[in-house]
């Protein structure tokens, strides 16, 4: 599937951002953006996150996870506007980077990084009583996975996820492989066809979640079809979980556009917590 012009522009932006991150993240430092701290959680140059604290009392932490089909061409700059908007609304935001496919990532390294980034919150001066994971596209997969990671010995968990918001998320890796989403992106992430490793990585195989999950998805999404959210929610509810699908007008990117009605719907979900 050929990327849209908008997606192509984002590839260029993400590539430039990745180069800047490698050059400037040898140690924790204050970001050029006011009120944002760039904090490392590991030794790899991309094992970092941007922590933004709101003015006044925090409503909780939102771990913001970017998408891009787990590919190295895409970085956390894609979802930075969402993190900034949420901080303006009173949330502490933790916009995380992670190793991606063809750049040291893939299964299990990408999951290891998301886990380590969330656990890093325990060492920071933030209240982790409420930790929401919010991710777009492949980030939606990682956001949902993070809520179940403590079930597995590989990822002992101190910081618990309390709610999940998936924005056009890839929530069924097996279905994504079957549909060849992102030109084989899920297959590349996992390093092979569906097998036992998928039990550790696939949200659709980890139902029911122990926390509420909302799936916000554009009706006209051709990159990640709405069935990824709708089928997951149906199965989650059947398994006894609290899950809700919120269909909105627009394509794959509208749910990550802070000026859209779709984003206002997501803000409403967070304000209702």
């Amino acid at each position: 599937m050929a990327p849209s012009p908008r997606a192509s522009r984002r590839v260029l932006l993400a590539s430039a951002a990745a180069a800047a991150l490698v050059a400037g993240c040898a140690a924790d430092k204050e970001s050029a953006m006011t009120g944002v701290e760039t904090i490392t959680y590991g030794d790899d140059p991309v094992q970092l996150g941007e922590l933004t604290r709101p003015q006044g009392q925090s409503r909780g932490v939102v771990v913001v996870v970017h998408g891009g089909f787990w590919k190295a061409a895409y970085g956390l700059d894609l979802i930075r506007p969402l993190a900034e908007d949420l901080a303006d609304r009173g949330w502490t935001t933790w916009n995380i980077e992670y190793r991606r496919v063809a750049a040291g990532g893939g299964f299990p390294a990408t999951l290891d990084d998301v886990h380590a980034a969330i656990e890093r919150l325990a060492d920071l001066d933030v209240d982790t009583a409420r930790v929401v994971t919010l991710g777009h596209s492949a980030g939606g997969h990682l956001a949902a996975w993070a809520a179940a990671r403590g079930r597995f010995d590989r990822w002992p968990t101190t910081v618990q996820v309390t709610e999940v918001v998936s924005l056009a998320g890839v929530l069924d890796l097996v279905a994504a492989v079957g549909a060849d989403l992102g030109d084989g992106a899920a297959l590349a992430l996992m390093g092979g066809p569906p097998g036992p490793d998928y039990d550790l990585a696939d949200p659709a195989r980890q139902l029911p979640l122990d926390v509420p999950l909302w799936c916000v998805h554009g009706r006209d999404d051709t990159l990640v079809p709405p069935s990824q959210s709708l089928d997951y929610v149906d199965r989650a509810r059947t398994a006894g979980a609290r899950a809700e699908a919120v269909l909105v007008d627009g394509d794959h990117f509208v749910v990550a556009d802070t000026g859209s009605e779709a984003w206002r719907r997501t803000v409403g979900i967070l304000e209702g917590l």
Side-chain angles (χ1 to χ4, degrees), residues 108-197:
T110 295
L111 307 185
D112 289 344
D113 282 4
V114 173
H115 169 68
I118 294 174
E119 289 298 295
R120 183 75 166 92
L121 291 168
D123 302 323
L124 305 179
D125 183 22
V126 297
D127 184 354
T128 57
R130 164 157 279 154
V131 176
V132 183
T133 51
L134 180 148
H136 176 234
S137 193
H141 156 255
L142 296 170
W145 169 84
R149 72 194 195 284
R151 300 175 183 179
F152 306 105
D153 292 341
R154 185 180 182 91
W155 299 291
T157 301
T158 300
V159 179
Q160 304 293 332
V161 172
T162 57
E163 291 93 7
V164 178
V165 180
S166 168
L167 307 177
V170 184
L171 300 177
D172 188 332
L173 294 182
V174 175
V177 169
D180 195 32
L181 299 187
D183 295 325
L187 193 65
L189 170 73
M190 296 304 299
D197 285 347

Side-chain angles (χ1 to χ4, degrees), residues 33-46:
M33 293 187 300
T34 302
V36 181
E37 299 170 88
T38 299
I39 300 172
T40 60
Y41 64 83
D43 295 330
D44 191 279
V46 301

Side-chain angles (χ1 to χ4, degrees), residues 136-253:
H136 176 234
S137 193
H141 156 255
L142 296 170
W145 169 84
R149 72 194 195 284
R151 300 175 183 179
F152 306 105
D153 292 341
R154 185 180 182 91
W155 299 291
T157 301
T158 300
V159 179
Q160 304 293 332
V161 172
T162 57
E163 291 93 7
V164 178
V165 180
S166 168
L167 307 177
V170 184
L171 300 177
D172 188 332
L173 294 182
V174 175
V177 169
D180 195 32
L181 299 187
D183 295 325
L187 193 65
L189 170 73
M190 296 304 299
D197 285 347
Y198 282 65
D199 292 340
L200 280 69
D202 192 345
R205 294 191 176 193
Q206 295 163 3
L207 293 169
L209 277 186
D210 299 323
V211 302
L213 179 145
W214 289 264
C215 296
V216 184
H217 214 122
R219 293 185 177 89
D220 301 320
D221 192 337
T222 58
L223 296 180
V224 178
S227 59
Q228 278 279 330
S229 289
L230 296 174
D231 292 350
Y232 176 90
V233 168
D234 284 346
R235 293 166 64 183
R237 287 179 167 176
T238 298
R242 180 183 174 189
E244 181 177 348
V246 180
L247 289 181
V248 296
D249 292 333
D251 61 7
H252 184 65
F253 298 105

Side-chain angles (χ1 to χ4, degrees), residues 72-97:
Y74 301 88
L76 59 72
D77 64 304
L78 295 182
I79 208 166
R80 187 178 287 142
L82 275 63
E84 294 173 348
D85 186 75
L86 292 174
D88 287 342
R89 297 176 186 274
W91 295 90
T92 300
T93 60
W94 179 225
N95 182 15
I96 62 173
E97 191 54 276

